[in-house]
Amino acid sequence: MKINNIQDIKRPEGIVVFVTGVTGQDGSHMVDYLLRETNTSIIGGARRLSVDNHNNISHLENEPRFQLVNFDLTDSHSIYKIVECAKPDYFINFAAQSFVASSWDFARQTWECNSTAILDCLEAIKRLQPNCRFYNAGSSEEFGNVTYQPQDENHPAKPRSPYGASKVAARQLIKVYRESYGLYAVQGWLFNHEGPRRGTEFVTRKITKGVAGIFDAIVNNKKIIPIELGNIDAKRDWSDAEDMVDAVWRMLNQEKYNKKLNKEENDEWPESYNEDKNQKQMIEWRAKRIKDYVVGSGETHTIREFIEIAFDLVNISGEWDGKGIDEFFWYELGPKPLSSDQCKLVTINPKFYRPAEVEILLADPSKIKNELGWNPKTSFEELIDKMITSDLTSYNSVV
Ligand code: F7E
């Protein structure tokens, strides 16, 4: 796919949305959503890599409303240049160091990408394009060592990882810019969200890809390669990433989805920042009304449950045996000549344990449902099914 340099970008007509991290799961789904649900033009930012990683956006090759641009969130010049050249109406940031486990190994890089760079985005918007609406990807990892269930917008920040801490810092910066300058800047608390475009290092995709491989091995009488995992008793609130990007767009257009905003206050949603005669009033208006929302399914499941359902969907019945790091999930109907090792489907490898774990996450999404009308479409089982079905296609297999 053709990648433009920032200075060669010409601002398209109409509403322009700049989406970073566009080759990733959320960025690519955001572009698909905007193309389908809006008439905006989209500029997608992606970091240049020597090996191209455009799988998630290859279907956009000939899309006239989409342009790809070389962009690095940790380079502040990149941020200023894109805001200056593209003059976006919306800036949606999905670029991040998003893998929690790596945030202990690359703590500084995590901070620069997830916190410092957000300050650069806010400054660039404030100085060059103050009416641009900004979304930053927040996370349930901000809640971390949770104090109550389910977690709502009032839950305190108790991060357990450099990743969680970096997202808390970004949230505070966003709040400060909203309350100081009246920027329309929000950060949703998105709980885990998955799908076939998820990176293979995240636990859900690691499992579905592994299950598809084991299914292929059994059907073709090949050696089974067990899936090696860490803490399988952690609980997560998993949603479909496609449902999440809808929530993001709603958070960026709260006055359109929350009809009460105008009615209750008996005044009009202020259209713009500069033209407003009374800037102080405008700042107070926005700071009081624009909200960050919790987004999740409202269900929590262990990784163990995810594994059981995934194997069940491909008709492989397994059983748990052993304890702690010696625990394993084994294939009950293993053909007899297989050694017990070959019958193992899942094993535990302590290298996947984290220095500190978030044991349980469970969202209370009632605010976004009631106020912005968000309504997720995919259930937990449907999500696993969708991921396995997709992973099986790489083996040309169907169940
Ligand atoms: O881990 C456990 C692991 O890496 C989930 C990111 O999108 O969601 C994601 O963060 C759980 C953890 O996601 C393995 O210890 C066990 O308890 O899939 P994950 P995450 O850390 O929850 C939040 C909301 C974000 O914001 C993040 O950006 O699974 N687990 N065994 C494992 N995890 C991995 N990755 N690999 C294992 O082998």
Side-chain angles (χ1 to χ4, degrees), residues 254-301:
Q254 296 183 20
E255 79 281 22
K256 293 204 180 79
Y257 293 99
N258 185 357
K259 299 295 172 217
K260 278 194 195 152
L261 270 180
N262 282 334
K263 273 189 209 141
E264 267 180 9
E265 305 295 340
N266 199 24
D267 58 4
E268 295 273 301
W269 184 269
E271 277 307 313
S272 68
Y273 176 92
N274 285 333
E275 289 155 25
D276 191 36
K277 279 179 252 135
N278 187 342
Q279 192 169 303
K280 189 164 175 287
Q281 195 186 358
M282 159 86 176
I283 290 171
E284 281 168 8
W285 208 101
R286 280 196 166 172
K288 206 166 110 194
R289 290 166 184 82
I290 298 166
K291 283 191 225 155
D292 296 333
Y293 286 90
V294 157
V295 196
S297 72
E299 279 180 31
T300 191
H301 300 273

Side-chain angles (χ1 to χ4, degrees), residues 98 139 163 192 198 201 203 206 230 234 236 303 354 357:
S98 64
S139 168
Y163 171 86
N192 296 56
R198 187 59 144 154
E201 73 272 37
V203 78
K206 186 170 169 183
R236 288 291 182 274
I303 287 130
R354 295 176 179 183
E357 179 65 278

Side-chain angles (χ1 to χ4, degrees), residues 92-140:
I92 304 181
N93 181 43
F94 286 127
Q97 194 304 89
S98 64
F99 191 43
V100 176
S102 287
S103 74
W104 281 276
D105 299 328
F106 303 103
R108 191 189 176 100
Q109 189 237 346
T110 302
W111 191 266
E112 278 172 8
C113 190
N114 297 0
S115 315
T116 311
I118 305 314
L119 183 58
D120 292 333
C121 294
L122 292 163
E123 268 297 314
I125 291 172
K126 184 197 102 190
R127 289 195 209 171
L128 304 172
Q129 189 71 359
N131 293 323
C132 173
R133 296 185 176 196
F134 180 65
Y135 178 84
N136 187 48
S139 168
S140 48

Side-chain angles (χ1 to χ4, degrees), residues 130-390:
N131 293 323
C132 173
R133 296 185 176 196
F134 180 65
Y135 178 84
N136 187 48
S139 168
S140 48
E141 285 293 306
E142 294 173 54
F143 298 138
N145 193 13
V146 299
T147 53
Y148 61 83
Q149 311 289 350
Q151 293 82 53
D152 59 12
E153 289 77 3
N154 298 318
H155 191 283
K158 298 187 72 141
R160 295 274 282 162
S161 61
Y163 171 86
S166 72
K167 292 288 180 180
V168 171
R171 175 175 308 282
Q172 296 306 322
L173 288 169
I174 285 172
K175 188 166 174 285
V176 166
Y177 273 66
R178 193 162 67 203
E179 293 173 359
S180 307
Y181 306 113
L183 294 194
Y184 191 125
V186 281
Q187 172 165 313
W189 284 274
L190 267 57
F191 282 59
N192 296 56
H193 46 284
E194 319 293 317
R197 296 185 190 174
R198 187 59 144 154
T200 50
E201 73 272 37
F202 293 94
V203 78
T204 55
R205 184 76 201 291
K206 186 170 169 183
I207 296 168
T208 60
K209 195 166 174 255
V211 168
I214 290 172
F215 178 82
D216 176 67
I218 290 174
V219 169
N220 296 305
N221 218 12
K222 293 192 276 193
K223 185 173 161 43
I224 292 174
I225 304 188
I227 309 167
E228 290 186 7
L229 297 169
N231 176 10
I232 54 172
D233 291 311
K235 289 180 151 182
R236 288 291 182 274
D237 179 320
W238 281 293
S239 298
D240 186 331
E242 291 195 66
D243 283 330
M244 293 309 221
V245 295
D246 175 43
V248 168
W249 191 241
R250 285 169 193 268
M251 277 186 261
L252 279 168
N253 295 283
Q254 296 183 20
E255 79 281 22
K256 293 204 180 79
Y257 293 99
N258 185 357
K259 299 295 172 217
K260 278 194 195 152
L261 270 180
N262 282 334
K263 273 189 209 141
E264 267 180 9
E265 305 295 340
N266 199 24
D267 58 4
E268 295 273 301
W269 184 269
E271 277 307 313
S272 68
Y273 176 92
N274 285 333
E275 289 155 25
D276 191 36
K277 279 179 252 135
N278 187 342
Q279 192 169 303
K280 189 164 175 287
Q281 195 186 358
M282 159 86 176
I283 290 171
E284 281 168 8
W285 208 101
R286 280 196 166 172
K288 206 166 110 194
R289 290 166 184 82
I290 298 166
K291 283 191 225 155
D292 296 333
Y293 286 90
V294 157
V295 196
S297 72
E299 279 180 31
T300 191
H301 300 273
T302 56
I303 287 130
R304 193 184 285 279
E305 275 174 86
F306 192 106
I307 294 166
E308 289 163 5
I309 296 173
F311 278 108
D312 204 44
L313 283 167
V314 293
N315 301 319
I316 296 177
S317 52
E319 282 235 357
W320 295 101
D321 211 336
K323 279 216 156 45
I325 57 167
D326 297 321
E327 188 170 9
F328 58 92
F329 192 62
W330 63 284
Y331 183 34
E332 285 180 316
L333 303 178
K336 288 294 168 242
L338 289 181
S339 71
S340 63
D341 242 19
Q342 282 175 296
C343 289
K344 284 183 183 168
L345 305 173
V346 176
T347 57
I348 304 299
N349 186 338
K351 86 171 183 198
F352 296 111
Y353 288 152
R354 295 176 179 183
E357 179 65 278
V358 171
E359 296 297 344
I360 176 164
L361 289 170
L362 170 63
D364 174 359
S366 50
K367 271 221 169 59
I368 191 161
K369 286 187 169 182
N370 295 336
E371 295 180 7
L372 302 185
W374 181 66
N375 198 5
K377 297 186 180 70
T378 312
S379 70
F380 179 58
E381 281 79 9
E382 284 165 349
L383 172 63
I384 304 177
D385 195 15
K386 184 169 158 180
M387 293 176 74
I388 299 240
T389 307
S390 163

